[in-house]
Amino acid sequence: TVVNGATVTSTGGTQLYNDSVSLGAGVNFTGTTVTFNEPVAGNNNSLDVTGAGVFGNAAADTVSGVTTLHVTGATTINAGTVTSSGAQTYDTTLAIGSDVTLNAVGVTVTGALTRTGGARALTVNAGSGVATFSTTIGAVGTELGALLVNSGGVTTLGGAVNAASVTTDAAGTTSLGASVTTTGGLQTYNDNVMLTADVVLLGSTVSFGGTVNGTTAGTEALTITGNASFANTVGTAVLPLEFVSVSGASALNGGSVTTAAAQTYTGAVVLGANTTLTGVGIGFGSTVDTGIPVRSLTVAGTGGTVTFTGAIGSGVNGAIGALSVTSGSAKTFTGTVNAASVTSLGAGTTAVNGGSVTTSGAQSYAAGVTIGANTTFTSTGTGNITFDTTLDGAFTLAVNTGGITTFTG
């Protein structure tokens, strides 16, 4: 079918095209439902559907050569590829019935994005334009397959996402406004991420290639259920996140994480960069180790407690770099500590319960220290070991250093 007119209207009725459709001009198809069961060739013309639209009945079908595509009603795409030189706009819901690729300069889906049949993958190549999904993508029990979004503009995931995996490219920015769940699958955000609400990301591993920030200082929180990898900074001094919580292992490769409230790292932490963590209460539920080269850790717990539940520097790469912990509240080391140096600052007491603190350099404890086990403080070099105030505990104490040991309390 060749359509050369500007409009095709079936008032109150449907339109069904069982053969290929070729556009000879920009066309607005108006009807309750307009169905294209075979390929559509746009020939560099616009395609508008006023009503519901169905494109293709098999993955081999395509929509190609249109300048822009706009559907006002519910849209179903069974075709494998929909390509436009300009924007694609779906004003309400979009259902995909096969693995679908959308090629455009800007893609906007205002309603829910769902799938029919089994899990369907969606690839969006939005060029320099935006990729906007205003509401939900998939649902529990009817998850999408792999979701891949390539956009040089802003990728907006405004509602809850349920998919096998989620990947964004390095260009542009991703805006997250709700939870993203990829049960057993990966989430990889290669671009900068902006949180517009408290966000829970659930997946096997959630990776950030760019920065992670919020819109208002101390307002948006990030919870990751799974492992996490941060390649860039998280929050800033001016725009801290509310809190950060990771249930699995954490790879801290970005240099800093800044929050207005707590930070919780339940799994093992590996330092891939010299790292500064700033927040009100910072807790480590497992080991803290260094990558190669050796990395340092600075923890500024401000008014909250700082707790290390596992050993520090006990991994295959040995001792971490310089360890500096500042807090006006309690600082607790439950496991052994191996670092280039240890500095404990702030008014809060330091509880050393792991039996040993070993450094190649100096150790300095500005506030009171309590030992909860027979304990040895060792500098394998000539580092000074300094206790600025009290040192208490009903256990044996040994201090070994070639430098100066100072007990002030």
Side-chain angles (χ1 to χ4, degrees), residues 65-397:
V66 298
T67 54
T68 58
L69 173 61
H70 180 203
V71 184
T72 66
T75 303
T76 301
I77 298 178
N78 300 311
T81 306
V82 178
T83 301
S84 61
S85 58
Q88 296 179 31
T89 306
Y90 305 94
D91 285 348
T92 62
T93 59
L94 172 61
I96 58 173
S98 63
D99 293 342
V100 172
T101 299
L102 304 179
N103 301 310
V105 181
V107 174
T108 300
V109 181
T110 303
L113 171 61
T114 61
R115 51 91 163 172
T116 60
R120 308 297 189 183
L122 176 63
T123 299
V124 177
N125 298 313
S128 60
V130 301
T132 301
F133 301 91
S134 298
T135 59
T136 57
I137 298 176
V140 177
T142 55
E143 295 85 356
L144 236 60
L147 174 62
L148 170 62
V149 182
N150 300 311
S151 169
V154 178
T155 296
T156 301
L157 304 180
V161 177
N162 287 271
S165 64
V166 173
T167 305
T168 64
D169 67 348
T173 301
T174 294
S175 173
L176 297 179
S179 62
V180 179
T181 301
T182 53
T183 305
L186 301 174
Q187 296 182 37
T188 305
Y189 304 94
N190 289 305
D191 50 359
N192 294 333
V193 170
M194 181 70 68
L195 308 182
T196 61
D198 293 347
V199 171
V200 178
L201 306 179
L202 189 155
S204 58
T205 298
V206 180
S207 300
F208 300 93
T211 60
V212 182
N213 289 299
T215 60
T216 305
T219 299
E220 292 86 10
L222 175 62
T223 300
I224 296 175
T225 303
N227 301 323
S229 176
F230 300 97
N232 214 312
T233 58
V234 179
T236 66
V238 175
L239 202 65
L241 297 186
E242 181 185 7
F243 66 80
V244 170
S245 176
V246 181
S247 72
S250 295
L252 302 181
N253 304 321
S256 67
V257 179
T258 306
T259 56
Q263 296 178 35
T264 304
Y265 304 93
T266 302
V269 171
V270 175
L271 307 175
N274 295 330
T275 300
T276 299
L277 306 179
T278 304
V280 181
I282 296 176
F284 301 88
S286 186
T287 55
V288 177
D289 289 300
T290 182
I292 294 295
V294 173
R295 303 300 189 177
S296 63
L297 175 62
T298 299
V299 179
T302 59
T305 61
V306 176
T307 303
F308 295 89
T309 301
I312 299 172
S314 64
V316 293
N317 296 322
I320 70 169
L323 173 62
S324 176
V325 181
T326 303
S327 176
S329 297
K331 301 171 282 287
T332 303
F333 298 92
T334 303
T336 59
V337 179
N338 289 276
S341 62
V342 173
T343 304
S344 179
L345 300 170
T349 59
T350 300
V352 178
N353 301 325
S356 68
V357 178
T358 304
T359 58
S360 56
Q363 298 179 35
S364 177
Y365 304 90
V369 174
T370 63
I371 57 174
N374 297 332
T375 302
T376 302
F377 295 88
T378 302
S379 173
T380 58
T382 57
N384 297 334
I385 298 180
T386 304
F387 301 92
D388 284 341
T389 62
T390 58
L391 176 58
D392 296 302
F395 298 92
T396 62
L397 171 67

Side-chain angles (χ1 to χ4, degrees), residues 3-10 15 17 25-30 48:
V3 182
N4 294 319
T7 59
V8 178
T9 303
S10 52
Q15 296 182 38
Y17 300 91
V27 181
N28 187 321
F29 296 86
T30 301
D48 292 271

